[in-house]
Amino acid sequence: MGTNKESLLMNVNLKVKRFDPEDPESQTLWQEYKIDVHQDSTVLDALIHVREHEDTSLALRCACRASICGSCGMKVNGSAKLVCKTRVTEVSPNGEQIVVEPMGNHPVVKDLVVSLDTFFDQIKRVEPYVQPDHVPEKGEYIASNESMENLLTSMNCIMCGCCVSDCTVLEVDDNFIGPAALAKAWRFVEDPRDSKTSDRLKNLNDQDGGIWDCTRCMQCVEVCPKGVDPMDRIMELRESAINSGLTNSFGARHANSVNKSIKHSGRIDEFRLPIESKGYFNIKEILGLLLPGLRMLIKKRSPSPIHHKNPNQSKVKNIFKNFEDNK
Amino acid sequence: MYQHDILIIGAGLAGLRAAVEGVRNGLDVAVVSKVHPVRSHSNAAQGGINAPLTDRGDDWEGHAYDTIKGSDFLADQDAVEVMSREAGDAVIELERMGVIFTRDEDGKLGTRAFGGQKVARTFFVGAITGSALLHVLFEQSLKLGLNVYEEWFVTKLIIEDGVCRGVVAYDIKNGELHTIKAKAVIMATGGNGRVFEPSTQALICTGDGLSLAYKAGAPLMDMEMIQYHPTTLARTGILISEAARGEGAYLLNSKGERFMEKYAPDYMELASRDVVSRSEQTEIDEGNGIDGNVMLDLRHLGRDYIEKRLGYLQEVSLEFLGIDMAEELVPIRPGMHYLMGGIKTDLNGLTEIPGLYAAGECANVSVHGANRLGANSLLDTVVFGRRSAEHAVEYIKSIGANSKSENDLKLEQDRLQSILDRPKGENIAKLRDEMATNMTKGIGVWRDQKSIENALENLMSIKNRLPNISVEHKGKFFNTNLIFALELEFMVDNAESIIHGAITRKESRGAHFRTDMPDRDDENWLKHTLVYHDINQENNVRIETAPVTITKWEPIKRVY
Ligand SMILES: Cc1cc2nc3c(=O)[nH]c(=O)nc-3n(C[C@H](O)[C@H](O)[C@H](O)COP(=O)(O)OP(=O)(O)OC[C@H]3O[C@@H](n4cnc5c(N)ncnc54)[C@H](O)[C@@H]3O)c2cc1C
Ligand code: SF4
Ligand code: SF4
Ligand code: FES
């Protein structure tokens, strides 16, 4: 059977965004590398080849190379991915150039390495540990297997930051707790051993940057490499908040919401608005009606309720910027 | 200069478990780790964690005996007893911290059966046990407000008057070197898989702590005991778990034969890890492989079955090779998986250097002996991580304040600068690959006098070339080029101790299989090999042996 070794190589054409904090002029530098790698290679393999043999100054993080440690989140052709589980042929089926950049919404340390300090600050905001009200006399807490397996969805999160990178709200509002931390929060709200469920929900409901700030753009669901589907978790948190009698108490948010929504996407989130404005009168009822429908649409990944970006978004942002600068 | 009561090197399961213990005792504890805690390699464990739970009729002695027999009687029986007795509490504690273990119908912890054990006593979280445990310990560290020096790389242990008093560490993010003093230091730096190629271990598993302790004078014990896993993916070495063969997968050679028929007709593909690994290597060496691999065949199991029972493996094969297990053969080969050897410690994790403890894969208490049972190493990390810290808490009570000396910092600054100042020389990656290939060739699934001697000769020449490697990139921020140079030096020390262990042990036992001496020799070799770094000796190496502790289980032949 044996195969010719030579024929297993393929050419990869990489375009990598570079940043060197010691040389501020390099901020916008893009560098191209043309290399030969094995045809089964991942984008990570290609980058490692560059760093080991072409350009030892290239900085990136990686450890497990098996999509479990969460080190290697980067933007590939514009969207966040774990490069160790992204095969070259997947993103460049016909040898197209592959564009690699650091993740978004995280400050860059060097080249493809970003600081995850804010990411972990967001995680800390949700008190990410179980808080039971008693210790079993002996042995473990008793809980059904379903209730534990349910939590796997969120436990699968490897804290890679991809969802945060591509979250459209975080792009404009850095106070938003963010998709990963909210998915983490969901895990504790759902954990039958935790005794702080209602406090947690109240917090997530009431605080600025909490569950109501997500615009359901679905980016986090698209990019999450572990099927955590943060947006679905956020919607479930909203539902639990409402079911537990909490109301969205931010009347003033109507204006706020229009403002943010237009600023970041160039559009009004039609679905979000009625909830936020009318919500104050009878939000429970309204959402009770809306949520099942919404959920169904999400499950089908139907595009209709998605909050699409306006193609002229950058113009809209500029208008806002000018307006705010002149304020 | 920074100061703490206890400093832990490594934020994997062993390190974090030790840290939690120290903080609970009200001490000033810090962890230094070259990667963020959740990136530590403990996250890769899939299978589970063993524990005999006495309240459900399992007894610690059953687990202890399986472990000892699995170790080919090289494990110290007192250490195994400690681990087995404390296992139940350790697992319950993890559950109470928030681990979402799989449950049984009564809502209690559920178990699965694992290789080499008579009783099902492996607790697990789906296929992400290691990750689930590590993340929960990380949560606890956030709750307790643990100090973490994140992305700091330890380059040297500080030894004053023969006592370990801290470390010198390099902040990868900005290139600065610092002294961190402590009254006790716990080494929890994990394995050294990258000394071999292929390996299932992460790219960060470079045996740093083993080398740091070795260079400081602590002996490394039974380093020749390297566990190979029979099914690692072609090219990358990513693990395909035992579950595949457990569910009925075949192993085929290039002629399409189920070659296990020749080697273990009764057990076939389900023979023990070492037997299967050796059979595969024979086929490959005899020219019956394909590009250095043999084939794992799951096609007869059918797509539905594969997706239902082995969904995770199907995903791995698709992700990393683009191969659909239901229709195609998966190329696999044996790869380095686990280091049974390590820094010699007593039952409390104390090494031969006062003030220096070790726990987890870098340590050798010894509970795994010549062969580790699946799901015993996660247990090892939490039991001995805790015990090390517990003992350190007592130890530091009688330890005075740290000295103000910054001598080591100065020495390390000069050393690192001299590496950066070298003229352009050898490529680090090339030399590393040469070393790793040499190790797998000489100290692979089997060895003999000649292969070991060759490996030593090659390693000596690699060691001579080590000062020629150059760091082309001189930057201060995230200079991984410099880190790789330092890691390669560590790996060469590891390789040296492994080879010396292998050359010393004149028998076959567990993972150490010598074709020239195929039998176990209890009369002469029921003992541990110790390798010391000693500048007064030829090649700077001194070899000793130490007796194995036998309490109640007399060695018998290891057959399954
Ligand atoms: C693929 C795979 C599957 C496995 N499955 C199982 C299983 O199912 N059950 C089981 O029991 N075992 C399993 N094992 C083995 C087990 O996972 C490991 O032995 C164990 O997790 C090691 O933990 P540790 O805490 O000792 O080290 P690690 O988790 O490797 O942590 C090492 C730490 O040390 C730090 N460090 C290293 N060097 C330095 C330095 N120079 N400076 C600063 N910090 C440093 C690192 O940053 C890291 O935080 C598996 C192993 C592999 C490879
Ligand atoms: S769905 Fe919500 S959380 Fe997810 S990316 Fe969009 S705005 Fe962010
Ligand atoms: S939710 Fe998904 S994308 Fe976000 S950090 Fe976790 S694993 Fe990464
Ligand atoms: S290298 Fe670990 S997730 Fe990619």
Side-chain angles (χ1 to χ4, degrees):
Chain A
M1 278 206 247
T3 348
N4 176 1
K5 280 244 153 64
E6 296 302 310
S7 68
L8 294 175
L9 289 181
M10 70 179 163
N11 188 264
V12 182
N13 182 351
L14 289 167
K15 184 175 167 188
V16 179
K17 192 169 190 181
R18 304 295 306 271
F19 169 73
D20 182 354
E22 283 175 278
D23 174 14
E25 276 179 22
S26 75
Q27 296 230 10
T28 49
L29 188 74
W30 287 89
Q31 216 156 334
E32 295 191 21
Y33 303 100
K34 291 196 168 63
I35 53 168
D36 288 327
V37 294
H38 190 281
Q39 61 183 16
D40 288 334
S41 293
T42 58
V43 174
L44 177 63
D45 293 329
L47 290 168
I48 288 180
H49 183 94
V50 169
R51 147 175 111 171
E52 293 189 334
H53 301 285
E54 305 283 323
D55 182 349
T56 53
S57 70
L58 178 67
L60 57 116
R61 284 197 189 98
C62 59
C64 70
R65 86 258 181 271
S67 71
I68 189 69
C69 76
S71 303
C72 70
M74 294 165 207
K75 278 196 173 181
V76 179
N77 295 343
S79 71
K81 289 185 184 327
L82 292 181
V83 288
C84 72
K85 71 174 269 190
T86 305
R87 296 195 323 130
V88 166
T89 47
E90 206 179 302
V91 284
S92 159
N94 304 305
E96 299 88 342
Q97 187 171 60
I98 303 173
V99 181
V100 188
E101 307 164 69
M103 286 195 290
N105 293 333
H106 299 94
V108 180
V109 175
K110 179 172 192 297
D111 300 335
L112 301 169
V113 175
V114 296
S115 162
L116 283 157
D117 290 353
T118 15
F119 177 93
F120 286 105
D121 286 344
Q122 290 166 356
I123 298 279
K124 282 181 212 156
R125 272 170 77 181
V126 305
E127 299 190 359
Y129 33 83
V130 273
Q131 303 183 48
D133 55 7
H134 74 286
V135 179
E137 235 165 74
K138 83 185 216 318
E140 63 273 46
Y141 289 95
I142 304 298
S144 73
N145 195 41
E146 299 74 64
S147 69
M148 288 289 118
E149 279 190 349
N150 173 38
L151 303 180
L152 270 175
T153 331
S154 163
M155 211 59 225
N156 273 321
C157 170
I158 54 173
M159 301 193 174
C160 61
C162 286
C163 54
V164 165
S165 159
D166 290 18
C167 172
T168 46
V169 168
L170 280 168
E171 218 174 284
V172 293
D173 178 7
D174 56 17
N175 187 43
F176 180 39
I177 301 180
L182 288 174
K184 207 14 107 207
W186 174 90
R187 171 239 186 288
F188 295 104
V189 166
E190 293 283 311
D191 194 319
R193 298 167 295 185
D194 196 88
S195 65
K196 294 272 191 277
T197 316
S198 50
D199 292 352
R200 288 182 189 276
L201 282 171
K202 185 161 169 27
N203 235 321
L204 296 166
N205 186 75
D206 292 358
Q207 83 176 282
D208 200 11
I211 46 179
W212 297 99
D213 273 26
C214 162
T215 57
R216 301 170 302 106
C217 72
M218 232 149 112
Q219 283 295 327
C220 55
V221 177
E222 292 288 319
V223 301
C224 174
K226 289 283 151 183
V228 177
D229 297 350
M231 182 184 80
D232 294 2
R233 308 287 80 75
I234 298 170
M235 293 307 128
E236 284 166 16
L237 284 172
R238 284 185 185 177
E239 200 184 354
S240 304
I242 291 160
N243 288 343
S244 70
L246 292 165
T247 50
N248 182 3
S249 52
F250 288 93
R253 288 191 133 196
H254 177 89
N256 217 342
S257 157
V258 178
N259 189 322
K260 276 185 201 157
S261 179
I262 297 181
K263 190 156 65 168
H264 100 268
S265 62
R267 282 192 190 188
I268 297 177
D269 181 345
E270 320 79 4
F271 190 85
R272 174 184 164 125
L273 263 182
I275 298 173
E276 292 200 358
S277 47
K278 287 189 197 156
Y280 236 124
F281 298 111
N282 202 348
I283 192 166
K284 191 172 174 185
E285 195 169 300
I286 291 173
L287 278 179
L289 290 169
L290 288 173
L291 270 167
L294 174 62
R295 280 264 208 85
M296 244 171 63
L297 288 165
I298 293 166
K299 286 262 149 56
K300 283 197 206 129
R301 302 278 188 271
S302 158
S304 61
I306 304 178
H307 187 52
H308 289 293
K309 284 199 186 183
N310 182 326
N312 288 324
Q313 186 195 351
S314 58
K315 266 194 211 150
V316 180
K317 265 192 198 162
N318 274 339
I319 297 174
F320 263 89
K321 192 167 178 302
N322 290 338
F323 174 72
E324 278 168 3
D325 288 351
N326 293 332
K327 250 198 309 208
Chain B
M1 187 195 303
Y2 298 89
Q3 301 240 31
H4 301 281
D5 291 331
I6 302 179
L7 180 69
I8 296 155
I9 315 177
L13 282 175
L16 288 183
R17 183 59 193 84
V20 165
E21 197 61 29
V23 178
R24 277 183 184 165
N25 279 279
L27 296 182
D28 171 4
V29 179
V31 171
V32 49
S33 174
K34 66 179 177 179
V35 294
H36 183 279
V38 301
R39 317 291 177 221
S40 302
H41 189 57
S42 288
N43 58 26
Q46 302 163 3
I49 177 167
N50 288 335
L53 287 193
T54 41
D55 68 341
R56 53 176 68 175
D58 196 359
D59 66 326
W60 68 265
E61 284 173 302
H63 174 250
Y65 185 64
D66 286 345
T67 301
I68 289 161
K69 182 176 168 202
S71 81
D72 220 351
F73 295 90
L74 189 62
D76 285 324
Q77 299 185 359
D78 53 348
V80 175
E81 178 168 342
V82 164
M83 181 171 81
S84 298
R85 279 180 183 276
E86 295 182 6
D89 286 348
V91 167
I92 294 296
E93 182 188 42
L94 289 168
E95 193 280 332
R96 290 180 177 184
M97 285 178 182
V99 177
I100 56 167
F101 285 112
T102 299
R103 308 281 160 148
D104 63 16
E105 311 79 58
D106 300 331
K108 298 180 137 206
L109 302 185
T111 50
R112 68 161 49 131
F114 230 61
Q117 299 185 71
K118 290 203 202 84
V119 181
R121 55 168 82 92
T122 306
F123 300 92
F124 64 106
V125 185
I128 57 160
T129 310
S131 175
L133 263 51
L134 186 64
H135 280 254
V136 166
L137 274 169
F138 174 61
E139 290 165 12
Q140 293 297 307
S141 78
L142 293 178
K143 181 177 168 191
L144 297 171
L146 179 71
N147 281 310
V148 182
Y149 295 92
E150 193 185 305
E151 295 188 321
W152 282 41
F153 183 96
V154 175
T155 67
K156 193 174 190 230
L157 291 178
I158 297 174
I159 309 287
E160 290 170 2
D161 301 325
V163 178
C164 185
R165 300 302 302 243
V167 305
V168 178
Y170 173 86
D171 184 346
I172 300 173
K173 294 184 294 299
N174 61 24
E176 274 166 28
L177 211 55
H178 300 274
T179 304
I180 314 176
K181 289 272 174 99
K183 295 179 183 168
V185 174
I186 302 177
M187 191 67 82
T189 49
N192 63 3
R194 302 324 302 178
V195 172
F196 295 82
E197 182 61 42
S199 168
T200 59
Q201 297 192 7
L203 304 176
I204 52 172
C205 297
T206 47
D208 305 2
L210 289 137
S211 164
L212 289 166
Y214 176 63
K215 281 292 174 60
L220 303 184
M221 183 163 95
D222 300 330
M223 290 296 284
E224 65 279 15
M225 298 305 178
I226 304 286
Q227 184 168 74
Y228 283 82
H229 199 289
T231 52
T232 79
L233 277 193
R235 213 175 59 78
T236 58
I238 292 172
L239 181 74
I240 291 287
S241 91
E242 231 116 50
R245 281 170 299 129
E247 296 287 351
Y250 301 150
L251 286 168
L252 305 179
N253 61 18
S254 62
K255 299 175 191 151
E257 298 162 345
R258 276 181 77 183
F259 57 83
M260 286 310 296
E261 213 141 47
K262 281 188 259 174
Y263 308 96
D266 293 341
Y267 289 82
M268 297 295 288
E269 283 82 1
L270 293 176
S272 66
R273 279 183 188 177
D274 48 342
V275 172
V276 179
S277 294
R278 288 195 284 269
S279 310
E280 289 173 2
Q281 198 60 46
T282 312
E283 290 296 308
I284 294 167
D285 290 353
E286 287 177 355
N288 296 330
I290 299 169
D291 289 335
N293 303 298
V294 290
M295 295 294 176
L296 189 68
D297 185 1
L298 289 90
R299 295 170 304 177
H300 56 285
L301 299 177
R303 181 175 300 280
D304 284 354
Y305 191 82
I306 292 176
E307 273 164 16
K308 201 158 137 251
R309 306 284 300 236
L310 300 167
Y312 177 74
L313 295 183
Q314 167 77 318
E315 209 179 290
V316 168
S317 160
L318 273 173
E319 259 171 31
F320 298 102
L321 284 179
I323 284 180
D324 175 0
M325 288 181 155
E327 286 178 11
E328 295 163 86
L329 301 174
V330 188
I332 52 98
R333 59 180 167 165
M336 190 286 184
H337 184 52
Y338 183 82
L339 169 71
M340 274 78 71
I343 308 162
K344 179 183 190 297
T345 74
D346 69 10
L347 299 182
N348 298 313
L350 187 60
T351 69
E352 288 191 3
I353 300 174
L356 180 65
Y357 294 78
E361 191 165 339
C362 70
N364 189 355
V365 214
S366 109
V367 287
H368 309 300
N371 177 53
R372 169 190 70 109
L373 286 194
N376 256 0
S377 58
L378 293 183
L379 178 60
D380 171 11
T381 63
V382 287
V383 168
F384 292 100
R386 196 203 76 239
R387 285 179 74 93
S388 307
E390 228 171 43
H391 195 261
V393 166
E394 290 306 311
Y395 165 82
I396 65 166
K397 286 184 181 157
S398 58
I399 295 298
N402 290 307
S403 81
K404 297 270 172 290
S405 158
E406 295 260 30
N407 283 348
D408 287 293
L409 181 68
K410 183 82 194 61
L411 289 172
E412 283 301 274
Q413 269 161 349
D414 293 348
R415 184 172 75 95
L416 263 52
Q417 195 56 48
S418 76
I419 296 176
L420 286 166
D421 289 345
R422 280 179 201 157
K424 188 164 165 47
E426 290 213 45
N427 177 286
I428 299 171
K430 278 191 189 141
L431 198 62
R432 181 203 62 210
D433 289 347
E434 216 179 300
M435 173 208 60
T437 319
N438 174 52
M439 289 301 285
T440 304
K441 200 158 159 238
I443 323 285
V445 296
W446 58 63
R447 317 101 204 237
D448 60 26
Q449 191 67 20
K450 193 148 172 292
S451 82
I452 305 172
E453 278 171 6
N454 280 343
L456 182 59
E457 202 181 306
N458 290 336
L459 187 76
M460 285 304 137
S461 95
I462 288 166
K463 206 174 166 179
N464 287 335
R465 284 155 60 200
L466 205 50
N468 306 339
I469 55 168
S470 62
V471 176
E472 286 147 39
H473 179 57
K474 317 288 179 198
K476 280 182 139 326
F477 294 81
F478 232 89
N479 186 345
T480 45
N481 200 200
L482 176 62
I483 297 296
F484 297 151
L486 299 172
E487 285 177 343
L488 181 55
E489 292 181 357
F490 289 150
M491 285 193 276
V492 168
D493 290 337
N494 278 262
E496 177 180 285
S497 64
I498 292 167
I499 294 176
H500 283 286
I503 221 160
T504 303
R505 187 175 291 283
K506 304 264 189 292
E507 62 160 353
S508 287
R509 184 183 298 271
H512 180 66
F513 190 88
R514 293 186 59 144
T515 46
D516 51 350
M517 298 165 191
D519 297 318
R520 196 174 87 188
D521 176 2
D522 284 346
E523 204 163 308
N524 297 303
W525 286 104
L526 187 58
K527 55 188 173 196
H528 301 294
T529 60
L530 300 181
V531 183
Y532 288 83
H533 176 73
D534 181 345
I535 47 168
N536 299 318
Q537 304 288 319
E538 194 195 339
N539 291 332
N540 296 341
V541 170
R542 174 163 52 95
I543 308 289
E544 288 183 16
T545 60
V548 172
T549 309
I550 307 278
T551 54
K552 49 159 79 155
W553 293 282
E554 280 309 313
I556 55 152
K557 206 166 152 53
R558 176 176 160 248
V559 280
Y560 288 104

